Amino acid sequence: MGLGEAYMNLNELDNAEKASYQALQLYPEFIPALLSYGMVKSKMNKLQDAINIYSRVIKAKPDYVFAYYQRGVCYLKSNDMDNAINDLYTAGTYEPTLKKECFTILSNIFKQKGDNEKAKQFLEDALKSVSYTHLRA
């Protein structure tokens, strides 16, 4: 865990922002520092900054699905539904551990848009991704 993350866990967002920024001054393309910086910006509600940072992560490492998820959530908070849909769909499709959450969010987006058929399909897909093996005797 980096210093920025430690400050973030303490909810000291100004210190987290400074520490993450300083880490990036030393290592501008260090993915963990970029992700930490993006999360701090998102928590501070500096959504466009966070989106730009997650875009840098995706440009440097296009297969890093967690960045698509984080950027999609920022788009959602910014009411940019088309980009939120694209990123959350990508994250949910390529990372099984994110599928339930992403597809549930997508279902809610489509429900709000009045597209009940797509909402239902995403909800069904989200439920299919849930493992019930721990319930078996």
Side-chain angles (χ1 to χ4, degrees):
M1 174 187 306
L3 186 57
E5 288 179 73
Y7 279 126
M8 193 168 34
N9 288 339
L10 295 170
N11 208 33
E12 294 184 22
L13 298 180
D14 289 335
N15 287 331
E17 182 180 32
K18 289 174 193 168
S20 297
Y21 179 78
Q22 288 172 342
L24 287 170
Q25 295 308 298
L26 296 172
Y27 306 101
E29 298 305 317
F30 186 54
I31 300 297
L34 281 168
L35 289 170
S36 177
Y37 197 40
M39 285 187 268
V40 170
K41 293 291 192 176
S42 179
K43 278 190 161 194
M44 296 176 87
N45 213 31
K46 297 179 179 180
L47 298 173
Q48 191 55 55
D49 289 345
I51 289 166
N52 293 340
I53 293 163
Y54 293 130
S55 294
R56 282 177 58 190
V57 172
I58 291 166
K59 183 177 180 187
K61 195 166 170 61
D63 61 339
Y64 197 77
V65 179
F66 183 71
Y68 287 94
Y69 169 75
Q70 290 293 342
R71 189 175 69 176
V73 170
C74 289
Y75 280 132
L76 181 63
K77 290 178 182 178
S78 300
N79 291 315
D80 182 345
M81 295 306 160
D82 290 338
N83 282 317
I85 289 167
N86 288 334
D87 279 357
L88 292 168
Y89 181 78
T90 299
T93 300
Y94 293 105
E95 178 50 56
T97 62
L98 293 173
K99 185 172 186 174
K100 178 184 170 217
E101 185 167 352
C102 290
F103 281 24
T104 300
I105 294 168
L106 288 166
S107 175
N108 289 330
I109 291 171
F110 283 108
K111 184 177 178 184
Q112 289 174 358
K113 291 178 109 181
D115 190 337
N116 291 331
E117 191 59 39
K118 277 189 181 177
K120 179 183 174 191
Q121 185 60 53
F122 276 110
L123 187 58
E124 288 173 355
D125 287 348
L127 292 172
K128 286 178 194 172
S129 70
V130 177
S131 173
Y132 295 102
T133 56
H134 66 284
L135 298 176
R136 294 185 188 145

